Amino acid sequence: MAFTLAPLPYAYEALEPHIDTTTMQIHHGKHHQAYVDNLNKAIAGTAHEGKTLEELVAAAGSISPAVRNNGGGHWNHTFFWECLAPNAGGAPSGALADAINEAFGSLDALKEKMNTAGLTRFGSGWAWLIKGADGKLAVTSTPNQDNPLMDVAEVKGTPLLGVDVWEHAYYLKYQNRRADYLNAFWNVVNWEKVASRF
Ligand code: MN3
């Protein structure tokens, strides 16, 4: 069964002014759709057909670049849309807030660490807040469409929050100002969703 692109869980304009409507339309409707289409093409007629997206991602080191890049792209974007929500931002509460304070000292320190991870990712990739096998939170980043669930990831863990730092995620509104995009991102973080993953 082929992979399909789910609709966004909110309207394209819902994240204005932090993430603009045109960027969301192209990012979801063109970029994410292309990852889905190219993943389906790459697995058609191969032993990968019928595997779940999670199975493909976990085996990134031993699958073709086309399946790794497009499977990662599909997984990462599906995850990313759910990291975001209109009228969101603010601060997490409860056990997640406690874990953030324990790992980073404060929410602001986490934001700074994740922004730095995103800013220093040369070229295209992602910055992540993950829960490690030890249950502790950590910040990491991955190149291209890799993610911390992949066997090839330098730092592995369960993603709780991710931010896309490919230029296609911000260039129309922010041009080369990746830092401004990263600061704006925090205004639309869906902490309820992050907490449910935690
Ligand atoms: Mn993207």
Side-chain angles (χ1 to χ4, degrees):
M1 206 169 75
F3 293 103
T4 55
L5 178 65
L8 281 183
Y10 37 76
Y12 285 119
E13 64 272 23
L15 306 179
E16 292 270 8
H18 311 292
I19 303 180
D20 63 286
T21 307
T22 309
T23 294
M24 290 301 291
Q25 286 169 333
I26 296 172
H27 200 174
H28 177 265
K30 305 289 184 191
H31 290 277
H32 190 173
Q33 182 71 61
Y35 295 124
V36 171
D37 293 345
N38 289 327
L39 173 61
N40 285 330
K41 272 183 221 158
I43 61 172
T46 76
H48 295 315
E49 229 173 2
K51 287 196 177 153
T52 66
L53 189 54
E54 286 67 27
E55 286 170 334
L56 294 175
V57 162
S62 54
I63 57 182
S64 71
V67 177
R68 173 174 169 176
N69 291 333
N70 292 294
H74 182 29
W75 193 95
N76 292 350
H77 287 83
T78 303
F79 178 87
F80 182 53
W81 308 134
E82 295 190 337
C83 288
L84 309 176
N87 307 310
S93 58
L96 176 61
D98 293 343
I100 287 171
N101 289 333
E102 190 190 321
F104 308 106
S106 68
L107 177 61
D108 282 345
L110 162 65
K111 289 180 180 179
E112 198 181 320
K113 196 157 188 183
M114 215 159 143
N115 287 0
T116 300
L119 274 174
T120 55
R121 167 52 57 192
F122 185 78
S124 297
W126 293 74
W128 306 94
L129 170 66
I130 61 168
K131 185 176 176 180
D134 58 1
K136 295 232 167 84
L137 300 187
V139 166
T140 184
S141 84
T142 53
N144 305 314
Q145 295 296 354
D146 285 359
N147 69 44
L149 293 171
M150 290 184 170
D151 53 357
V152 293
E154 267 175 58
V155 182
K156 293 177 193 63
T158 304
L160 304 179
L161 175 66
V163 59
D164 187 345
V165 297
W166 283 57
E167 281 190 344
H168 69 225
Y170 62 86
Y171 202 85
L172 290 180
K173 182 177 173 77
Y174 296 98
Q175 292 83 48
N176 61 328
R177 303 187 308 279
R178 190 186 284 188
D180 290 356
Y181 158 70
L182 285 165
N183 283 326
F185 159 77
W186 295 104
N187 294 312
V188 288
V189 168
N190 185 350
W191 285 113
E192 268 180 47
K193 187 71 192 179
V194 178
S196 76
R197 291 166 174 157
F198 175 68

